[in-house]
Amino acid sequence: MKNPVTVTVTGAAGNIAYSLLFRIAAGEMLGADQPVVLKLLEIPPCLDKLKGVVMELEDCAFPLVKEIVATADPAEAFKGADWCMLVGSVPRKAGMERKDLLGINGKVFVGQGKAIAENASKDCKVFVVGNPCNTNCLIALHNATGLPSQNFFAMTQLDEYRAKSQLAAKAGVPVSEVTNMTIWGNHSSTQYPDFTNAKIGGKPVTDVISDTEWLKTTFISTVQKRGAAIIAARGASSAASAANAALMTVKNLVTPTAEGDWFSVCSFTDGTKYGLPAGIICSMPTRTNADGSHTIVEGLPIDAFSREKIDASCKELLEERADVADLLK
Ligand code: NAX
């Protein structure tokens, strides 16, 4: 029997967590032979609701679950954590500017970054889902003194899946035929789903879908606005699909990537790749190596159309960084 891996999930009484926790507990994220300790963080008003979630987890009698801790204390929640999945954050309310939201959530991620550095395992990985996830992740990174910057990630896997699904529908092929899909930039409406380097059945997308105008307009805007379309249709934001993407991101980060392919995740830029500015959390094509390390895929051609889109999303990330400058050490 392997030693248990400790997974901390914040926002554990929320909608995404309600799909996510049961699948982690069932072994879908870290493997069917990997025991887990679940540490669940919530804010005090949601502890009763969290108690109900814990009762349901207990009622599943998952053999891989060795212990469940439910708490409102970040120090207790992050104690010994190997994976910190930061799902919880305060939603944007009517009349709130992006800067207001950044400020409110930013303070949460200052505290959580510090609590992670003080309590989690020294090689823990931090994965941010709560929005604005790129900049929240940057704040956590800056405040988690002593942890390597390459251990911080934010989620664009859901955007990648949305893009793959749109391309598959247009081409009339199963979604599994679509590979090499990069989301560049910010998890926001400026993100760029890069059809120029993606493939369908091993061929360039542009060889299979001749409607270039559709690719440059409808495809991109459908992916960029899919979150809002779900809210309009369902009356609530993506939850099961977001949980699936969160689970799959961690799975992708711990599993060697299939030869020739990559996946999208946001990580810390060093300023040496694709002309991306240094010091932001930016979505890029990423591979997991056999030794568990991660590599940004290099050498992809970036045409003028892509360049403009990627630069626009990075500009937004730089503006967000400037908005929270006082929270970055
Ligand atoms: P919910 O509002 O259902 O749940 C969030 C939970 O977080 C609540 O239970 C709340 O009490 C808790 N929380 C708030 N502050 C906390 C803190 N300081 N510590 C611990 N818990 C705290 O939202 P849900 O639908 O689960 O979405 C969670 C986050 O994911 C939101 O920020 C949402 O915007 C973001 N998303 C990110 C996506 C991505 O692709 N990166 C896609 C889906 C989703 O929109």
Side-chain angles (χ1 to χ4, degrees):
M1 199 62 160
K2 292 178 170 176
N3 286 329
V5 168
T6 298
V7 181
T8 302
V9 178
T10 74
N15 285 311
I16 293 177
Y18 193 65
S19 285
L20 177 63
L21 294 173
F22 296 84
R23 294 182 63 188
I24 297 174
E28 285 186 57
M29 186 169 85
L30 297 173
D33 62 346
Q34 178 57 64
V36 288
V37 171
L38 291 176
K39 299 212 170 175
L40 311 179
L41 182 67
E42 258 298 344
I43 49 174
C46 292
L47 280 179
D48 274 345
K49 192 175 174 196
L50 181 59
K51 201 169 162 191
V53 176
V54 172
M55 287 159 75
E56 284 207 70
L57 281 165
E58 287 166 355
D59 292 351
C60 293
F62 288 116
L64 291 172
V65 176
K66 295 300 156 199
E67 190 188 351
I68 303 174
V69 176
T71 178
D73 174 9
E76 189 184 3
F78 292 119
K79 191 94 209 146
D82 300 299
W83 277 95
C84 302
M85 300 180 75
L86 309 186
V87 180
S89 75
V90 178
R92 185 183 247 178
K93 299 199 180 80
M96 212 186 249
E97 301 277 330
R98 185 184 68 180
K99 202 171 173 173
D100 302 331
L101 185 70
L102 279 168
I104 293 167
N105 279 318
K107 292 198 185 68
V108 171
F109 286 81
V110 168
Q112 293 188 352
K114 288 190 172 135
I116 289 168
E118 282 162 21
N119 297 285
S121 136
K122 286 298 157 217
D123 60 354
C124 79
K125 307 280 192 304
V126 180
F127 171 51
V128 182
V129 174
N131 279 324
C133 64
N134 298 60
T135 299
N136 287 343
C137 183
L138 187 69
I139 295 167
L141 181 157
H142 274 264
N143 287 278
T145 311
L147 293 189
S149 52
Q150 67 266 25
N151 288 14
F152 287 75
F153 304 94
M155 182 158 100
T156 43
Q157 187 72 65
L158 180 55
D159 307 296
E160 178 196 316
Y161 287 154
R162 288 167 171 169
K164 283 179 162 174
S165 174
Q166 293 300 319
L167 292 177
K170 180 78 172 172
V173 300
V175 73
S176 55
E177 293 283 300
V178 186
T179 59
N180 304 84
M181 183 73 230
T182 312
I183 303 294
W184 294 96
N186 199 2
H187 168 68
S188 75
S189 57
T190 67
Q191 65 175 270
Y192 173 51
D194 180 3
F195 60 87
T196 70
N197 284 298
K199 292 182 181 157
I200 298 177
K203 296 187 196 134
V205 165
T206 42
D207 286 3
V208 181
I209 298 174
S210 55
D211 187 350
T212 313
E213 201 44 38
W214 179 86
L215 288 168
K216 286 185 164 174
T217 56
T218 310
F219 164 67
I220 294 176
S221 69
T222 302
V223 176
Q224 289 173 334
K225 295 180 191 151
R226 185 72 164 181
I230 302 273
I231 293 174
R234 208 175 82 89
S237 63
S238 323
S241 57
N244 178 64
L247 180 130
M248 288 305 296
T249 305
V250 173
K251 191 172 177 183
N252 284 335
L253 287 168
V254 298
T255 311
T257 311
E259 200 50 47
D261 205 357
W262 59 76
F263 61 98
S264 297
V265 69
C266 313
S267 61
F268 192 65
T269 52
D270 62 6
T272 68
K273 297 176 187 76
Y274 296 107
L276 304 171
I280 55 172
I281 299 286
C282 182
S283 185
M284 295 176 278
T286 305
R287 286 180 54 80
T288 300
N289 305 309
D291 65 359
S293 63
H294 304 107
T295 307
I296 306 302
V297 175
E298 294 196 63
L300 299 179
I302 305 294
D303 64 14
F305 178 82
S306 300
R307 184 79 261 161
E308 194 182 311
K309 300 277 181 202
I310 294 170
D311 288 349
S313 199
C314 287
K315 182 168 170 279
E316 184 184 46
L317 283 168
L318 289 172
E319 287 164 7
E320 288 187 16
R321 186 177 72 178
D323 284 345
V324 299
D326 56 328
L327 304 178
L328 307 175
K329 286 206 257 180

